[in-house]
Amino acid sequence: MPKSATADQQANNQQVLQLVSSLLDAFDRPLVVTDRSGKILFTNFHAQERLNAKGLSAKPDLNLFVDILHSDRQQILQQLEAGEQELNMPIDFASEVQRARVRWLPEPDWLVTYLEPAPQEAPADEAEMRQTVQELMQEREITYRNLLAAYLRLQEVNRQKTVFLASAAHELKTPLAVMKGYYDLLLTGSLGKLDDRQRDILLESKESCDRLIRLVSMFLNYSALESGKLILQLRENDLRDCVKDLTCRWQDAFQRAKVRLDIQIHPELGPFKFDYQKVQQCVANFLDNALKHTPAQGCVTLIAEPHFWERRISEAAPSSDRRRGGRNRPNSVLVSVSDTGSGIAAEFHQEIFEEFVRVDPSSSGMGLGLAITKRLIQAHRGKVWVDSVVGHGSSFSFLLPTNAE
Protein backbone atom coordinates (compact mmCIF):
# COMPACT_ATOMS: atom_id res chain seq x y z
CA MET A 1 0.00 0.00 0.00
CA PRO A 2 1.39 3.46 -0.84
CA LYS A 3 2.52 5.61 2.02
CA SER A 4 0.03 8.34 1.13
CA ALA A 5 -2.91 5.91 1.42
CA THR A 6 -1.67 4.63 4.76
CA ALA A 7 -1.29 8.16 6.05
CA ASP A 8 -4.80 9.03 4.90
CA GLN A 9 -6.23 5.98 6.68
CA GLN A 10 -4.41 6.86 9.89
CA ALA A 11 -5.71 10.40 9.64
CA ASN A 12 -9.25 9.16 9.18
CA ASN A 13 -8.90 6.83 12.17
CA GLN A 14 -7.55 9.71 14.23
CA GLN A 15 -10.52 11.87 13.26
CA VAL A 16 -12.93 9.06 14.21
CA LEU A 17 -11.24 8.68 17.61
CA GLN A 18 -11.40 12.41 18.22
CA LEU A 19 -15.09 12.46 17.26
CA VAL A 20 -15.87 9.55 19.59
CA SER A 21 -13.85 11.15 22.37
CA SER A 22 -15.78 14.41 22.05
CA LEU A 23 -19.08 12.49 22.12
CA LEU A 24 -18.04 10.64 25.26
CA ASP A 25 -17.54 13.94 27.06
CA ALA A 26 -21.32 14.19 27.23
CA PHE A 27 -21.36 11.28 29.73
CA ASP A 28 -21.56 12.40 33.34
CA ARG A 29 -19.32 9.60 34.64
CA PRO A 30 -15.67 8.66 33.89
CA LEU A 31 -15.24 6.40 30.86
CA VAL A 32 -12.06 4.81 29.48
CA VAL A 33 -11.81 2.96 26.15
CA THR A 34 -8.84 0.64 25.52
CA ASP A 35 -7.82 -1.99 23.04
CA ARG A 36 -7.40 -5.68 23.84
CA SER A 37 -3.94 -5.18 25.30
CA GLY A 38 -5.18 -2.49 27.70
CA LYS A 39 -3.70 0.45 25.79
CA ILE A 40 -5.72 3.65 26.33
CA LEU A 41 -7.40 4.72 23.09
CA PHE A 42 -9.35 7.66 24.45
CA THR A 43 -11.05 8.93 27.60
CA ASN A 44 -13.77 11.41 28.30
CA PHE A 45 -13.36 14.60 30.31
CA HIS A 46 -14.43 13.06 33.67
CA ALA A 47 -12.03 10.14 33.28
CA GLN A 48 -9.19 12.50 32.42
CA GLU A 49 -9.81 14.35 35.69
CA ARG A 50 -9.65 11.07 37.62
CA LEU A 51 -6.42 10.09 35.91
CA ASN A 52 -4.93 13.52 36.67
CA ALA A 53 -5.89 13.17 40.34
CA LYS A 54 -4.10 9.85 40.45
CA GLY A 55 -1.09 11.19 38.56
CA LEU A 56 -1.45 8.70 35.73
CA SER A 57 -2.21 11.01 32.82
CA ALA A 58 1.48 11.85 32.33
CA LYS A 59 2.48 8.20 32.08
CA PRO A 60 3.28 7.46 28.39
CA ASP A 61 2.59 3.71 28.44
CA LEU A 62 -0.55 3.84 30.64
CA ASN A 63 -2.25 0.42 30.74
CA LEU A 64 -5.77 -0.41 31.93
CA PHE A 65 -4.90 -3.76 33.50
CA VAL A 66 -1.62 -2.76 35.12
CA ASP A 67 -2.20 0.81 36.26
CA ILE A 68 -5.95 1.05 36.86
CA LEU A 69 -7.46 -2.37 37.50
CA HIS A 70 -4.36 -4.04 38.94
CA SER A 71 -5.69 -7.36 37.64
CA ASP A 72 -4.61 -10.12 35.30
CA ARG A 73 -5.45 -9.27 31.70
CA GLN A 74 -5.86 -12.85 30.53
CA GLN A 75 -8.31 -13.71 33.32
CA ILE A 76 -10.48 -10.69 32.60
CA LEU A 77 -10.56 -11.39 28.84
CA GLN A 78 -11.46 -15.04 29.42
CA GLN A 79 -14.45 -14.08 31.57
CA LEU A 80 -15.69 -11.55 29.04
CA GLU A 81 -15.24 -13.89 26.08
CA ALA A 82 -17.01 -16.66 28.02
CA GLY A 83 -20.21 -14.63 27.97
CA GLU A 84 -19.98 -12.24 30.91
CA GLN A 85 -21.61 -9.02 29.77
CA GLU A 86 -20.03 -6.90 32.48
CA LEU A 87 -17.40 -7.34 35.19
CA ASN A 88 -17.67 -5.33 38.40
CA MET A 89 -14.28 -4.89 40.03
CA PRO A 90 -13.45 -2.87 43.16
CA ILE A 91 -10.41 -0.59 42.77
CA ASP A 92 -8.48 1.79 45.00
CA PHE A 93 -8.43 4.88 42.83
CA ALA A 94 -7.43 8.38 43.89
CA SER A 95 -7.45 7.55 47.61
CA GLU A 96 -11.07 6.36 47.54
CA VAL A 97 -12.74 3.02 47.03
CA GLN A 98 -14.34 2.90 43.61
CA ARG A 99 -15.74 0.36 41.22
CA ALA A 100 -14.76 -0.39 37.64
CA ARG A 101 -17.39 -1.80 35.33
CA VAL A 102 -15.69 -3.45 32.34
CA ARG A 103 -17.53 -4.33 29.13
CA TRP A 104 -16.25 -5.87 25.88
CA LEU A 105 -17.24 -4.60 22.43
CA PRO A 106 -16.48 -7.58 20.15
CA GLU A 107 -16.75 -5.79 16.79
CA PRO A 108 -13.93 -3.24 17.31
CA ASP A 109 -12.41 -5.51 20.01
CA TRP A 110 -12.44 -2.68 22.53
CA LEU A 111 -12.85 -2.66 26.31
CA VAL A 112 -15.08 0.03 27.76
CA THR A 113 -14.53 0.77 31.45
CA TYR A 114 -16.77 2.93 33.65
CA LEU A 115 -15.25 4.36 36.82
CA GLU A 116 -17.75 5.16 39.56
CA PRO A 117 -17.95 5.25 43.37
CA ALA A 118 -18.40 1.86 44.97
CA PRO A 119 -21.93 1.25 46.33
CA GLN A 120 -22.01 1.80 50.05
CA GLU A 121 -23.27 -0.98 52.22
CA ALA A 122 -26.39 -0.17 54.16
CA PRO A 123 -25.87 0.47 57.89
CA ALA A 124 -26.65 -2.39 60.21
CA ASP A 125 -29.79 -0.74 61.54
CA GLU A 126 -31.04 -0.05 58.00
CA ALA A 127 -30.38 -3.64 56.98
CA GLU A 128 -32.27 -4.84 60.04
CA MET A 129 -35.13 -2.51 59.24
CA ARG A 130 -35.32 -3.84 55.69
CA GLN A 131 -35.34 -7.38 56.99
CA THR A 132 -38.07 -6.48 59.47
CA VAL A 133 -40.16 -4.85 56.73
CA GLN A 134 -39.72 -7.92 54.56
CA GLU A 135 -40.78 -10.20 57.40
CA LEU A 136 -43.83 -8.02 58.05
CA MET A 137 -44.77 -8.18 54.38
CA GLN A 138 -44.50 -11.95 54.46
CA GLU A 139 -46.60 -12.12 57.62
CA ARG A 140 -49.21 -9.85 56.03
CA GLU A 141 -49.35 -12.11 52.98
CA ILE A 142 -49.79 -15.16 55.19
CA THR A 143 -52.49 -13.39 57.22
CA TYR A 144 -54.29 -12.34 54.06
CA ARG A 145 -54.29 -15.91 52.75
CA ASN A 146 -55.53 -17.24 56.08
CA LEU A 147 -58.32 -14.65 56.18
CA LEU A 148 -59.29 -15.46 52.60
CA ALA A 149 -59.41 -19.17 53.43
CA ALA A 150 -61.49 -18.47 56.55
CA TYR A 151 -63.84 -16.24 54.53
CA LEU A 152 -64.33 -18.97 51.93
CA ARG A 153 -65.03 -21.50 54.68
CA LEU A 154 -67.60 -19.14 56.23
CA GLN A 155 -69.20 -18.66 52.84
CA GLU A 156 -69.50 -22.42 52.46
CA VAL A 157 -70.94 -22.77 55.97
CA ASN A 158 -73.44 -20.00 55.21
CA ARG A 159 -74.41 -21.74 51.97
CA GLN A 160 -74.92 -25.05 53.80
CA LYS A 161 -77.02 -23.24 56.43
CA THR A 162 -79.23 -21.78 53.71
CA VAL A 163 -79.60 -25.17 52.02
CA PHE A 164 -80.45 -26.78 55.36
CA LEU A 165 -83.10 -24.14 56.15
CA ALA A 166 -84.65 -24.56 52.73
CA SER A 167 -84.68 -28.36 52.99
CA ALA A 168 -86.14 -28.33 56.50
CA ALA A 169 -88.79 -25.79 55.50
CA HIS A 170 -89.83 -27.85 52.49
CA GLU A 171 -90.10 -30.97 54.65
CA LEU A 172 -92.29 -29.13 57.20
CA LYS A 173 -94.50 -27.37 54.69
CA THR A 174 -96.62 -30.37 53.62
CA PRO A 175 -97.43 -31.85 57.07
CA LEU A 176 -98.28 -28.41 58.43
CA ALA A 177 -100.66 -27.81 55.55
CA VAL A 178 -102.36 -31.14 56.32
CA MET A 179 -102.63 -30.25 60.01
CA LYS A 180 -104.13 -26.86 59.18
CA GLY A 181 -106.68 -28.53 56.91
CA TYR A 182 -107.77 -30.88 59.67
CA TYR A 183 -108.08 -28.00 62.16
CA ASP A 184 -110.30 -26.11 59.73
CA LEU A 185 -112.39 -29.23 59.17
CA LEU A 186 -112.84 -29.84 62.89
CA LEU A 187 -113.74 -26.20 63.56
CA THR A 188 -116.52 -26.28 60.93
CA GLY A 189 -118.24 -29.05 62.91
CA SER A 190 -118.26 -31.44 59.97
CA LEU A 191 -116.82 -34.24 62.14
CA GLY A 192 -119.05 -33.62 65.13
CA LYS A 193 -120.30 -30.86 67.37
CA LEU A 194 -117.72 -29.15 69.60
CA ASP A 195 -118.25 -27.63 72.99
CA ASP A 196 -116.69 -24.31 73.92
CA ARG A 197 -113.63 -25.83 75.60
CA GLN A 198 -112.89 -28.09 72.64
CA ARG A 199 -113.27 -25.16 70.24
CA ASP A 200 -110.89 -23.00 72.31
CA ILE A 201 -108.29 -25.78 72.32
CA LEU A 202 -108.61 -26.27 68.56
CA LEU A 203 -108.41 -22.52 67.93
CA GLU A 204 -105.26 -22.23 70.00
CA SER A 205 -103.74 -25.25 68.23
CA LYS A 206 -104.68 -23.82 64.84
CA GLU A 207 -103.11 -20.50 65.78
CA SER A 208 -99.87 -22.28 66.69
CA CYS A 209 -100.04 -24.18 63.40
CA ASP A 210 -100.52 -20.92 61.50
CA ARG A 211 -97.49 -19.48 63.27
CA LEU A 212 -95.41 -22.48 62.21
CA ILE A 213 -96.64 -22.10 58.63
CA ARG A 214 -95.59 -18.44 58.64
CA LEU A 215 -92.22 -19.43 60.07
CA VAL A 216 -91.72 -22.04 57.34
CA SER A 217 -92.70 -19.50 54.69
CA MET A 218 -90.26 -17.07 56.25
CA PHE A 219 -87.45 -19.64 56.05
CA LEU A 220 -88.24 -20.37 52.41
CA ASN A 221 -88.19 -16.69 51.50
CA TYR A 222 -84.98 -16.14 53.45
CA SER A 223 -83.31 -19.05 51.64
CA ALA A 224 -84.47 -17.70 48.29
CA LEU A 225 -83.16 -14.23 49.14
CA GLU A 226 -79.80 -15.56 50.33
CA SER A 227 -79.30 -17.73 47.24
CA GLY A 228 -80.50 -15.00 44.86
CA LYS A 229 -83.32 -17.21 43.56
CA LEU A 230 -86.24 -15.04 44.66
CA ILE A 231 -88.70 -14.53 41.81
CA LEU A 232 -91.55 -12.06 42.18
CA GLN A 233 -94.86 -13.01 40.63
CA LEU A 234 -95.88 -9.53 39.51
CA ARG A 235 -99.50 -9.49 38.39
CA GLU A 236 -102.39 -7.04 38.46
CA ASN A 237 -103.80 -7.46 41.99
CA ASP A 238 -106.13 -5.52 44.26
CA LEU A 239 -104.44 -4.52 47.51
CA ARG A 240 -107.85 -4.23 49.23
CA ASP A 241 -108.53 -7.93 48.64
CA CYS A 242 -104.99 -8.78 49.72
CA VAL A 243 -105.33 -6.95 53.05
CA LYS A 244 -108.91 -8.06 53.76
CA ASP A 245 -108.06 -11.69 53.07
CA LEU A 246 -105.14 -11.49 55.48
CA THR A 247 -106.90 -9.65 58.31
CA CYS A 248 -109.77 -12.12 58.29
CA ARG A 249 -107.32 -14.82 59.26
CA TRP A 250 -105.86 -12.65 62.03
CA GLN A 251 -109.10 -11.64 63.73
CA ASP A 252 -109.19 -14.71 65.99
CA ALA A 253 -105.58 -14.17 67.14
CA PHE A 254 -106.28 -10.56 68.05
CA GLN A 255 -109.50 -11.45 69.87
CA ARG A 256 -107.75 -14.13 71.92
CA ALA A 257 -105.04 -11.59 72.89
CA LYS A 258 -107.77 -9.02 73.70
CA VAL A 259 -106.20 -6.50 71.32
CA ARG A 260 -108.43 -4.48 69.01
CA LEU A 261 -107.54 -4.58 65.29
CA ASP A 262 -108.66 -1.43 63.45
CA ILE A 263 -108.53 -1.72 59.64
CA GLN A 264 -108.69 1.40 57.48
CA ILE A 265 -108.56 0.70 53.73
CA HIS A 266 -109.01 3.64 51.39
CA PRO A 267 -111.82 3.04 48.87
CA GLU A 268 -109.86 4.57 45.98
CA LEU A 269 -107.11 1.94 46.00
CA GLY A 270 -106.90 0.60 42.47
CA PRO A 271 -105.25 -2.55 41.11
CA PHE A 272 -101.52 -2.49 40.28
CA LYS A 273 -98.75 -5.01 39.75
CA PHE A 274 -97.33 -6.67 42.85
CA ASP A 275 -96.66 -10.15 44.22
CA TYR A 276 -99.84 -11.05 46.14
CA GLN A 277 -98.26 -13.64 48.46
CA LYS A 278 -95.07 -11.66 49.18
CA VAL A 279 -96.89 -8.42 50.03
CA GLN A 280 -99.36 -10.35 52.15
CA GLN A 281 -96.46 -11.87 54.06
CA CYS A 282 -94.97 -8.40 54.64
CA VAL A 283 -98.23 -7.17 56.14
CA ALA A 284 -98.49 -10.37 58.20
CA ASN A 285 -94.98 -9.77 59.59
CA PHE A 286 -96.05 -6.27 60.66
CA LEU A 287 -99.23 -7.59 62.29
CA ASP A 288 -97.39 -10.39 64.06
CA ASN A 289 -94.79 -7.96 65.36
CA ALA A 290 -97.48 -5.50 66.54
CA LEU A 291 -99.52 -8.21 68.26
CA LYS A 292 -96.49 -9.51 70.19
CA HIS A 293 -95.64 -6.06 71.57
CA THR A 294 -99.13 -4.69 72.27
CA PRO A 295 -100.56 -5.39 75.74
CA ALA A 296 -104.13 -6.52 76.34
CA GLN A 297 -106.77 -3.84 75.79
CA GLY A 298 -104.38 -2.17 73.35
CA CYS A 299 -105.06 -1.32 69.72
CA VAL A 300 -103.34 -2.10 66.40
CA THR A 301 -104.28 0.01 63.39
CA LEU A 302 -103.71 -1.07 59.79
CA ILE A 303 -103.95 1.67 57.15
CA ALA A 304 -103.71 1.23 53.37
CA GLU A 305 -104.10 4.36 51.26
CA PRO A 306 -102.87 6.03 48.06
CA HIS A 307 -99.74 8.11 48.48
CA PHE A 308 -97.67 10.57 46.48
CA TRP A 309 -94.03 9.50 46.56
CA GLU A 310 -92.05 12.47 45.27
CA ARG A 311 -88.84 10.47 44.81
CA ARG A 312 -90.64 8.49 42.12
CA ILE A 313 -91.19 11.57 39.91
CA SER A 314 -88.69 11.43 37.04
CA GLU A 315 -89.38 14.97 35.84
CA ALA A 316 -90.45 17.18 38.72
CA ALA A 317 -92.84 19.94 37.78
CA PRO A 318 -91.97 23.54 38.72
CA SER A 319 -93.14 24.64 42.15
CA SER A 320 -95.50 27.24 40.66
CA ASP A 321 -97.26 24.54 38.60
CA ARG A 322 -97.61 22.39 41.70
CA ARG A 323 -99.31 25.20 43.58
CA ARG A 324 -101.73 25.82 40.72
CA GLY A 325 -102.38 22.11 40.21
CA GLY A 326 -103.05 21.47 43.86
CA ARG A 327 -102.31 18.05 45.27
CA ASN A 328 -100.06 15.74 43.25
CA ARG A 329 -101.51 12.59 41.82
CA PRO A 330 -100.72 9.45 43.90
CA ASN A 331 -98.08 7.19 42.42
CA SER A 332 -97.72 4.65 45.23
CA VAL A 333 -99.54 2.88 48.06
CA LEU A 334 -98.75 3.43 51.72
CA VAL A 335 -99.34 0.55 54.13
CA SER A 336 -98.71 1.13 57.82
CA VAL A 337 -99.33 -0.89 60.98
CA SER A 338 -99.36 1.09 64.22
CA ASP A 339 -99.56 -0.27 67.76
CA THR A 340 -99.88 1.04 71.31
CA GLY A 341 -96.96 -0.95 72.66
CA SER A 342 -93.84 0.13 74.51
CA GLY A 343 -92.12 1.61 71.46
CA ILE A 344 -88.56 1.29 70.13
CA ALA A 345 -85.59 3.50 70.95
CA ALA A 346 -84.27 5.60 68.06
CA GLU A 347 -80.88 3.86 67.97
CA PHE A 348 -82.59 0.59 66.97
CA HIS A 349 -84.69 1.97 64.11
CA GLN A 350 -82.22 0.80 61.45
CA GLU A 351 -80.84 -2.21 63.29
CA ILE A 352 -84.18 -4.04 63.63
CA PHE A 353 -84.34 -4.51 59.85
CA GLU A 354 -81.18 -6.65 59.91
CA GLU A 355 -81.17 -10.46 60.09
CA PHE A 356 -81.47 -12.14 63.50
CA VAL A 357 -81.77 -8.85 65.41
CA ARG A 358 -84.21 -8.63 68.32
CA VAL A 359 -84.46 -5.49 70.43
CA ASP A 360 -86.08 -7.46 73.26
CA PRO A 361 -84.19 -10.76 73.73
CA SER A 362 -87.04 -12.15 75.84
CA SER A 363 -89.52 -11.88 72.97
CA SER A 364 -90.30 -14.84 70.72
CA GLY A 365 -89.25 -15.05 67.11
CA MET A 366 -86.09 -15.51 65.03
CA GLY A 367 -85.46 -11.86 64.19
CA LEU A 368 -86.06 -12.51 60.48
CA GLY A 369 -89.53 -11.07 59.87
CA LEU A 370 -88.59 -7.42 59.47
CA ALA A 371 -85.39 -8.24 57.59
CA ILE A 372 -87.30 -10.31 55.05
CA THR A 373 -90.00 -7.64 54.80
CA LYS A 374 -87.39 -5.01 53.99
CA ARG A 375 -85.80 -7.09 51.22
CA LEU A 376 -89.15 -8.08 49.73
CA ILE A 377 -90.35 -4.48 49.63
CA GLN A 378 -87.05 -3.37 48.11
CA ALA A 379 -87.47 -6.08 45.48
CA HIS A 380 -90.76 -4.31 44.59
CA ARG A 381 -88.77 -1.03 44.25
CA GLY A 382 -90.38 0.15 47.48
CA LYS A 383 -89.29 1.55 50.81
CA VAL A 384 -89.79 0.40 54.41
CA TRP A 385 -89.21 2.24 57.69
CA VAL A 386 -90.37 2.62 61.29
CA ASP A 387 -91.52 5.60 63.36
CA SER A 388 -91.45 5.01 67.07
CA VAL A 389 -91.03 6.76 70.40
CA VAL A 390 -90.37 4.86 73.60
CA GLY A 391 -93.58 4.64 75.61
CA HIS A 392 -95.81 5.77 72.73
CA GLY A 393 -95.95 2.73 70.44
CA SER A 394 -94.54 2.07 66.98
CA SER A 395 -95.66 2.50 63.39
CA PHE A 396 -94.13 0.27 60.69
CA SER A 397 -94.74 1.39 57.13
CA PHE A 398 -93.83 0.55 53.56
CA LEU A 399 -94.41 2.15 50.17
CA LEU A 400 -95.15 0.26 46.97
CA PRO A 401 -94.93 2.13 43.64
CA THR A 402 -98.08 1.75 41.53
CA ASN A 403 -96.67 3.19 38.30
CA ALA A 404 -94.72 1.09 35.80
CA GLU A 405 -91.33 2.83 36.04
Side-chain angles (χ1 to χ4, degrees), residues 29-30 50 88 91 97-101 114-119:
R29 52 184 172 175
R50 294 294 180 92
N88 292 326
I91 58 174
V97 178
Q98 295 196 358
R99 180 177 66 174
R101 295 167 53 196
Y114 300 94
L115 304 178
E116 57 186 26

Side-chain angles (χ1 to χ4, degrees), residues 207-358:
E207 182 181 337
S208 298
C209 183
D210 289 338
R211 182 176 292 274
L212 282 175
I213 291 174
R214 290 196 300 272
L215 186 62
V216 167
S217 178
M218 190 182 303
F219 283 156
L220 289 174
N221 283 326
Y222 178 74
S223 300
L225 289 168
E226 284 293 296
S227 59
K229 297 179 181 179
L230 177 70
I231 299 177
L232 295 179
Q233 305 296 330
L234 299 177
R235 298 185 178 90
E236 288 284 340
N237 293 304
D238 193 331
L239 188 64
R240 293 174 298 180
D241 295 338
C242 178
V243 173
K244 289 178 181 178
D245 181 32
L246 175 67
T247 53
C248 286
R249 301 198 300 265
W250 278 84
Q251 289 290 353
D252 291 340
F254 275 85
Q255 289 177 3
R256 292 176 61 83
K258 298 180 180 179
V259 175
R260 182 166 59 91
L261 177 59
D262 185 14
I263 303 170
Q264 301 176 15
I265 302 178
H266 199 282
E268 294 183 4
L269 284 178
F272 64 98
K273 285 187 176 182
F274 64 92
D275 188 313
Y276 192 95
Q277 298 295 333
K278 299 297 188 295
V279 170
Q280 200 171 71
Q281 182 180 355
C282 293
V283 179
N285 289 339
F286 280 178
L287 291 175
D288 185 34
N289 191 66
L291 182 59
K292 286 190 298 186
H293 296 90
T294 302
Q297 311 306 324
C299 178
V300 172
T301 304
L302 190 155
I303 299 175
E305 60 183 359
H307 183 80
F308 172 69
W309 190 1
E310 189 170 4
R311 192 176 67 89
R312 290 273 163 191
I313 295 298
S314 57
E315 295 181 1
S319 58
S320 58
D321 293 342
R322 290 185 182 180
R323 287 194 295 268
R324 287 197 297 267
R327 186 178 179 184
N328 292 283
R329 185 176 180 181
N331 60 356
S332 61
V333 170
L334 172 65
V335 177
S336 64
V337 176
S338 305
D339 60 61
T340 56
S342 58
I344 303 171
E347 59 267 23
F348 297 111
H349 286 185
Q350 296 296 326
E351 186 178 353
I352 57 176
F353 290 101
E354 303 299 327
E355 289 87 350
F356 306 106
V357 173
R358 291 185 300 169

Side-chain angles (χ1 to χ4, degrees), residues 82-229:
E84 291 286 346
Q85 294 186 355
E86 182 179 276
L87 295 180
N88 292 326
M89 306 177 62
I91 58 174
D92 187 6
F93 197 71
S95 301
E96 60 178 316
V97 178
Q98 295 196 358
R99 180 177 66 174
R101 295 167 53 196
V102 184
R103 293 184 181 182
W104 177 45
L105 302 180
E107 187 64 27
D109 201 15
W110 288 350
L111 297 178
V112 179
T113 304
Y114 300 94
L115 304 178
E116 57 186 26
Q120 297 181 355
E121 296 184 359
D125 55 347
E126 183 178 347
E128 292 177 359
M129 182 179 67
R130 290 181 179 177
Q131 183 178 1
T132 302
V133 171
Q134 186 176 5
E135 292 176 354
L136 290 175
M137 294 291 290
Q138 293 176 352
E139 291 180 2
R140 188 183 72 169
E141 180 69 19
I142 294 173
T143 302
Y144 169 76
R145 292 181 180 179
N146 291 337
L147 287 175
L148 179 60
Y151 172 75
L152 294 177
R153 287 196 297 269
L154 287 174
Q155 288 288 91
E156 177 61 20
V157 170
N158 186 62
R159 187 191 68 81
Q160 293 177 359
K161 174 208 67 178
T162 303
V163 172
F164 170 76
L165 284 176
S167 301
H170 278 293
E171 291 296 327
L172 291 171
K173 187 175 182 181
T174 300
L176 286 174
V178 173
M179 292 170 59
K180 184 178 184 299
Y182 281 132
Y183 283 132
D184 292 335
L185 185 62
L186 288 170
L187 289 171
T188 59
S190 301
L191 301 180
K193 188 176 180 180
L194 301 174
D195 57 30
D196 293 340
R197 180 172 176 77
Q198 290 172 336
R199 181 172 294 276
D200 290 340
I201 293 174
L202 286 175
L203 284 173
E204 187 174 351
S205 300
K206 179 178 178 294
E207 182 181 337
S208 298
C209 183
D210 289 338
R211 182 176 292 274
L212 282 175
I213 291 174
R214 290 196 300 272
L215 186 62
V216 167
S217 178
M218 190 182 303
F219 283 156
L220 289 174
N221 283 326
Y222 178 74
S223 300
L225 289 168
E226 284 293 296
S227 59
K229 297 179 181 179

